[in-house]
Each structure stands twice: as structure tokens, then as C-alpha cells.
Amino acid sequence: MKKNDLFTVKIEGMGNEGEGIGKVDGFPLFIKDALPGDTVSVKAVKIKKTYGYARLMEIQEASPDRTEPGCLLNRACGGCQIQALSYEKQLEFKWEKVRNQLVRIGGFTDPLVLPVIGMEEPYHYRNKAQFPFGRDRDGKNVTGFYASRTHRIIPNTDCALGVPENQQILKIILEFMDKEGIAAYEETSGEGLLRHVLIRKGFATGELMVCLVINGEEMPGIEALADSLFEIPGMTSVTLNINQKNTNVIMGEQLIPVRGKTFITDRIGPIQYQISPRSFYQVNPVQTKRLYETALEYAGLTGTENVWDLYCGIGTISLFLAQRAGKVYGVEVVPEAVADAEKNAELNGIRNVEFYLGKAEEVLPDKYKKEGIRADVIVVDPPRKGCDAACLDTMIRMKPKRIVY
Ligand code: SAH
């Protein structure tokens, strides 16, 4: 088998990134946008020793699990991978992924994994988007999302997962850039001013936040831009964030207020939250409520427990649990998030919480060694890379009755 060879394959499985897997004489090929149950013609693009990659040329026989994708750009855009798969099957794919990790990495033979709790309508649910700016071949300013595995922008101001206001906000910014002659930042040269825009909406409150990330200290004409943005109903906060580093980390450290507040407020269930641009906030408010309610149920609290909420962000889970715990301690590494968490406790009149700024893998072992802290329940919601070993070791040593991960 070599590059550019053509084959017909029946797709039998799915890779970690949602690619279809089919075998040619026992040799597995990974094919983006092909789904289990499809029979497809493909062209080999890269052949390795034990597997290869191929491009989908034509669907000869469509899988019964195919569905109409909600976005026409779903194949080009790197944001979504398996939109053409029915939502029910998407949830099964996630379930299997979790189960596989427990078997392959965790070494469990038959772990109990409950079904994934899905949502009603899996579109237009995201309360946050970070759009990069760039230029197309004609030098025109564009925004959208990156194609998969590249930083090439697929122009799109109306992501099917996002809120309708995204389109309005992006149109205003693009027109402003053209009018003021503001150049989009270019990663290769490090030149240009506007890098990204973070847009966030409180679904319960309707409040909107726009934070422009710039490669500079100021943005010419920003007041006029704020005027236009504030004509959008719900606009609550316009800020600048400075990021002059040559990095693909989106946000820099410094935040400059431009108009309105430097945060928005939202509600999940009975709790109100104040959210700053750099603070983490769950992106799917409908599912967040179910997630937190499920965490609360699994924590099995009776009103007296000592609870540690590691990687607590703006204290969302901590405050949810505090409703039924003796005392909740949160640990978080981003200073603005800890400030938000403390503010949020106050905002809701919740007094049985305390937040610590620092890394979970340092704060927890330190407090355990020096102060002998204890926990009935530990809740962890770490970033994608997971918990540090030092954190996990201490969690085990503390012998909590329950761990909710
Ligand atoms: N539980 C929160 C936040 C979860 S996101 C919620 O549901 O909203 C993960 C959080 O972990 C982020 O706020 C991130 O800033 C924080 N974080 C990342 N690395 C960390 C570390 N080593 N120690 C503590 N917090 C960390």
C-alpha cells in the first residue's frame, strides 16, 4: 500500500478523534468524516508501519446512523468532528471512549460505566466562543475557526453551536477593523494587532461580554467600537486583554476595562455567579445544571460533611455543594477565578466556604502534611490533562468516604 492508492472500505470502528476506521486486508486506515456503517471510497494519504490515514472520496453506502449535520462547514472546520453522526450514537461513542480508557489505561476488566446524560437539542448551547482573527489570501480580515490540526481560519461568523449574538458582534468588529485599518495578528510574523475575541453570554441573565485580545497596549478607535457593541441588547462588559507573547495560549494576563463592568453575571439553578474574562466557566449551561446536580447527588451529603472541591474555578461546584455540606474548601490556580469565587460566595450569602489560591497538587499535600486536614468528600474537576500524581496520592491518603470525579 502506498500514498494515493484508492480503496473501497467498510467502516467498522471509530478512532479517538472520531475518525472512521476501516481495514484493507487487515490493515487499519483512519478516515476523517467516515462513520461506522459507511462503505466509502478512499485515497491513501499517509502510510505508517501498522496503520495509515486516508481521505474520504465518496460515500458509496451511507451508515444508517448518519444524520443531517447542523452546520454546512462541519467537515472543513476543526471545531466539530462527528456532526454527521446521530446524537444518540455520539453519546455512545463518548461512553465507549471513557470505558476504553478505564480498561486500557486503568486496567479494569469490566468497569461499570453508566450511560452518558445527553441534552435535548445539541446545537446553539455554547455560552462562550473564542474567535481568532486573520487574513484570507486577498488580505481581507476574517474570523471563524481553525481547520483541524492547522491554524488556517475557515471563515464563519455563525457557528451552529454558539449564540446568535456572535454573528452580530463579529460583524461589528470586522467592519470596525476595515474602517480603522486594524490588522489581524499573524502568528508567523508576530505582526498585526487583533488576535482573538472572547464572547460570553449568561443564558439565565442575557448579559453579554466581549473581550478583545490584542498584541499591543491599546487599540485605536476602541471607544467607537464600544459604542457600537453597546447597542446590542444585553451588552454588559467590553474589555481588552493584552497578549504580546508569541504563543497559542489565547489570553494574556493583563485586562483593561473599556466599557461597562469587567464581568458578567449568570445563574445556575439557585446560585448566582460573577464571571471574569479569564475565569473558567462551563460552556453548556443546560448540561452544567445537570452535571452539578449529579455531582451533588453522588457526593451524598447530609449537611455535616467536610468537602474539598479541587480545581474549583469560580467556585461553581463549591457553592452548589455548600448548600448541603458542613464546610467546603475550594482550590484554584487562577487568581481572578479565586477572587470571583469569593465574590460569588458573598453574592449568594454562602458562608461555609473557603477558597485557596494555588495548585491543587501543592495546596492539598501541604495542608494535609502541615495541618492534617480531612475530607469526607473530595470533588475534582481538573483541566483536560487530569490530576497531578501528587494530588491523587494525597487524595487517597486522606481516605475520604467518596470521591466525585
Ligand atoms: N469546577 C469548575 C472549574 C473546572 S475547570 C467549574 O465547573 O466551573 C478546571 C479549573 O482548574 C480551571 O479553573 C483552571 O484554572 C484550574 N486549574 C488548572 N490547573 C490547576 C492546578 N494545577 N491546580 C488548581 N487548579 C487548576
Side-chain angles (χ1 to χ4, degrees):
M1 186 181 294
K2 56 185 190 314
K3 197 176 161 177
N4 293 332
D5 281 357
L6 298 169
F7 304 97
T8 297
V9 229
K10 171 109 184 145
I11 305 298
E12 272 152 5
M14 219 174 194
N16 251 329
E17 314 282 322
E19 328 88 308
I21 305 175
K23 288 184 180 160
V24 176
D25 295 333
F27 186 84
L29 286 175
F30 287 78
I31 305 146
K32 182 175 146 11
D33 301 315
L35 299 177
D38 281 343
T39 301
V40 292
S41 15
V42 303
K43 188 190 226 177
V45 288
K46 198 178 204 174
I47 303 301
K48 303 228 178 188
K49 252 194 198 132
T50 51
Y51 62 94
Y53 296 93
R55 179 173 308 126
L56 173 61
M57 306 301 284
E58 201 189 328
I59 300 169
Q60 292 186 358
E61 200 182 311
S63 159
D65 299 322
R66 275 198 174 266
T67 184
E68 198 57 45
C71 170
L72 291 174
L73 295 169
N74 73 91
R75 278 186 66 176
C77 178
C80 291
Q81 283 75 38
I82 47 174
Q83 250 190 40
L85 184 64
S86 73
Y87 185 51
E88 202 190 318
K89 290 285 166 181
Q90 289 183 25
L91 296 181
E92 263 175 44
F93 164 65
K94 293 182 183 186
W95 179 89
E96 227 169 273
K97 203 165 167 174
V98 171
R99 195 178 178 282
N100 273 343
Q101 310 292 12
L102 289 172
V103 172
R104 289 199 193 150
I105 303 173
F108 293 92
T109 40
D110 190 18
L112 171 67
V113 180
L114 299 176
V116 179
I117 302 170
M119 70 185 306
E120 299 280 309
E121 174 56 41
Y123 285 102
H124 298 293
Y125 57 82
R126 283 190 66 105
N127 59 17
K128 171 185 151 182
Q130 300 181 109
F131 289 91
F133 290 92
R135 287 178 194 217
D136 67 9
R137 285 208 192 107
D138 307 324
K140 205 173 104 203
N141 289 319
V142 289
T143 186
F145 289 115
Y146 296 132
S148 77
R149 292 172 198 279
T150 75
H151 275 191
R152 186 166 55 85
I153 294 175
I154 306 291
N156 178 20
T157 56
D158 191 22
C159 169
L161 305 193
V163 296
E165 287 91 343
N166 284 341
Q167 199 173 18
Q168 221 178 335
I169 291 168
L170 294 172
K171 186 166 172 272
I172 289 174
I173 297 172
L174 286 172
E175 280 172 8
F176 163 79
M177 290 172 82
D178 292 344
K179 191 160 156 258
E180 290 284 333
I182 304 248
Y185 174 74
E186 285 191 61
E187 281 172 322
T188 38
S189 65
E191 278 164 24
L193 186 63
L194 186 55
R195 299 175 70 127
H196 273 85
V197 62
L198 161 84
I199 303 172
R200 207 175 235 164
K201 181 178 180 181
F203 274 41
T205 58
E207 294 188 5
L208 282 167
M209 159 187 288
V210 171
C211 176
L212 299 141
V213 185
I214 54 170
N215 173 40
E217 316 251 292
E218 53 185 25
M219 179 135 98
I222 181 74
E223 290 299 326
L225 176 60
D227 287 344
S228 311
L229 290 171
F230 262 82
E231 277 170 24
I232 300 173
M235 189 57 63
T236 303
S237 165
V238 175
T239 54
L240 287 173
N241 175 276
I242 297 182
N243 184 359
Q244 295 181 283
K245 289 190 188 146
N246 182 6
T247 160
N248 56 20
V249 175
I250 294 177
M251 293 270 213
E253 267 158 36
Q254 201 188 338
L255 194 77
I256 303 177
V258 173
R259 187 77 57 87
K261 297 174 182 161
T262 55
F263 57 85
I264 56 167
T265 308
D266 196 20
R267 270 191 316 272
I268 298 171
I271 315 270
Q272 245 187 58
Y273 300 104
Q274 164 178 325
I275 312 144
S276 300
R278 288 204 335 133
S279 297
F280 176 90
Y281 186 56
Q282 297 285 349
V283 297
N284 182 332
V286 174
Q287 290 297 84
T288 299
K289 182 159 177 283
R290 304 177 82 177
L291 176 71
Y292 291 174
E293 281 166 358
T294 308
L296 185 58
E297 182 194 326
Y298 287 177
L301 301 176
T302 61
T304 57
E305 290 81 359
N306 241 342
V307 181
W308 282 78
D309 175 20
L310 308 177
Y311 312 88
C312 69
I314 61 172
T316 37
I317 298 180
S318 320
L319 298 180
F320 230 79
L321 299 176
Q323 306 173 88
R324 274 198 242 147
K327 177 96 192 229
V328 181
Y329 301 88
V331 183
E332 162 64 41
V333 79
V334 173
E336 287 97 320
V338 173
D340 280 348
E342 282 162 353
K343 204 48 195 254
N344 290 332
E346 208 182 294
L347 206 63
N348 293 283
I350 295 175
R351 289 188 188 84
N352 56 336
V353 290
E354 206 171 310
F355 296 99
Y356 297 105
L357 174 63
K359 292 183 178 166
E361 62 272 25
E362 288 172 9
V363 173
L364 197 71
D366 191 62
K367 295 244 166 244
Y368 180 63
K369 263 181 233 142
K370 291 193 185 137
E371 298 167 30
I373 53 155
R374 32 163 233 100
D376 300 301
V377 176
I378 300 179
V379 179
V380 286
D381 183 14
R384 286 179 201 203
K385 71 172 184 193
C387 298
D388 194 277
C391 180
L392 293 175
D393 286 343
T394 308
M395 284 165 62
I396 292 166
R397 244 177 257 138
M398 286 171 75
K399 296 198 174 68
K401 287 191 209 89
R402 290 178 181 219
I403 290 176
V404 182
Y405 194 143

